[in-house]
Amino acid sequence: MSIRIGILGYGNLGKGVEYAIAQNDDLSLKAVFTRRDPSTVKIMTKDVPVYSVNDAAAHASEIDVLILCGGSANDLPVQTPEFAKLFNVVDSFDTHARIPEHFANVDKAAKEAGKVGIISIGWDPGLFSLIRMYGNAVLPDGKDYTFWGKGVSQGHSDAIRRVKGVKNGKQYTIPVESALERVRNGENPELTTREKHTRECFVVPEEGADLAQIEKDIKTMPNYFSDYDTTVHFITEEELIKNHSGIPHGGFVIRTGTTGENNQTKHTVEFSLKLGSNPEFTSSVLCAFARAAYRLNAEGVTGCKTIFDIAPAYLCKQSPDELRSHLL
């Protein structure tokens, strides 16, 4: 029997989940739920219905795990605890400061309903979080560093598109190579925000727009660009489509530490990702944890879980015997 998956939200992330389900023969897509008119949403998988999100409750018995593909700012804080009353759920909530609050809300709803809710699944938070935890556990006398990029920041890209005179745009987050090398060399530097990353913006201006003002407005934008060395390139719409239509991303998690009688022995743990598509990779992680949510709930587990709480074997289609034989 395959694990029956529902998708809530059919943007880049929802489409990625559909692709990932197609690569896992123990998962099957049973329904897509949308806030749009269902008749306007065309999906890849044949013979799978698209329903209004308002009809989700009527299909609760048909779905083993619902993967939530909304945004962290406004969607998931409401949707995840609400749908955890009906389904086992997995989300990619990534507002780090609000994770404890989100956990508590989902935990309460899932326990009351006898369901499992797995939150903040992806690569950061997600796989990067797990590597940070392993590094801290193994090298207690050490220091953590996280670098993001080179990759498209969707939130920052949206911010530049809201600047007056901007028709369209993309923003890339780029690690500073000299800072990366200092960390890898075991120097344990204290790095400011500006020293760790730069930001590069590719902007399509509206006709007749004040380019100097656009550049100033971007570079001085608090919480987004003012703390970084930022470069603004003005390009045409055609150039943006040709050269910047993808959503690549990635980054590095590094833990440096010491061992020995006098802490004389240096060690470095490094984990990196280079992603051709941020949402497609995140979707693949979500599907692996949907498998875990189903298995845990089948064992009688309820409540909210994070990536720290789930044994790796729950993520894999292979049996424990197979894992021991081929991967251990």
Side-chain angles (χ1 to χ4, degrees), residues 155-268:
H156 286 72
S157 296
D158 183 61
I160 64 175
R161 288 192 289 266
R162 295 174 186 270
V163 171
K164 182 180 179 181
V166 172
K167 182 180 179 183
N168 205 346
K170 275 273 181 79
Q171 186 269 316
Y172 294 85
T173 301
I174 305 170
V176 175
E177 285 295 328
S178 59
L180 258 175
E181 287 308 308
R182 291 179 65 195
V183 172
R184 287 169 172 158
N185 290 337
E187 297 178 27
N188 291 340
E190 294 291 336
L191 297 170
T192 66
T193 297
R194 190 178 300 275
E195 288 172 325
K196 288 179 65 180
H197 297 92
T198 61
R199 298 197 180 277
E200 191 168 14
C201 305
F202 292 86
V203 175
V204 179
E206 294 176 350
E207 188 174 349
D210 184 338
L211 303 189
Q213 187 62 49
I214 290 174
E215 183 170 0
K216 180 182 178 183
D217 289 346
I218 290 173
K219 288 185 173 181
T220 58
M221 191 184 300
N223 302 320
Y224 285 91
F225 298 102
S226 59
D227 293 332
Y228 299 85
D229 290 334
T230 301
T231 305
V232 178
H233 305 279
F234 291 101
I235 61 174
T236 65
E237 186 83 41
E238 291 74 20
E239 288 175 303
L240 188 75
I241 293 169
K242 179 181 178 182
N243 300 322
H244 305 283
S245 59
I247 315 176
H249 220 315
F252 309 83
V253 171
I254 302 173
R255 174 76 175 179
T256 59
T258 57
T259 60
E261 184 178 359
N262 300 304
N263 286 344
Q264 74 277 16
T265 309
K266 292 184 177 181
H267 309 278
T268 302

Side-chain angles (χ1 to χ4, degrees), residues 15-43:
K15 291 175 184 176
V17 170
E18 186 181 18
Y19 300 150
I21 290 170
Q23 293 183 317
N24 291 275
D25 60 12
D26 64 327
L27 307 180
S28 61
L29 180 61
K30 284 299 177 184
V32 171
F33 300 97
T34 180
R35 288 180 294 197
R36 289 177 275 170
D37 178 352
S39 67
T40 66
V41 177
K42 306 303 178 186
I43 68 173

Side-chain angles (χ1 to χ4, degrees), residues 103 106-112 114-118 297 301-305:
F103 180 96
V106 176
D107 191 52
K108 182 176 186 294
K111 282 180 176 173
E112 289 176 354
K115 301 295 184 181
V116 168
I118 305 178
N297 194 238
V301 175
T302 65
C304 190
K305 306 294 177 186

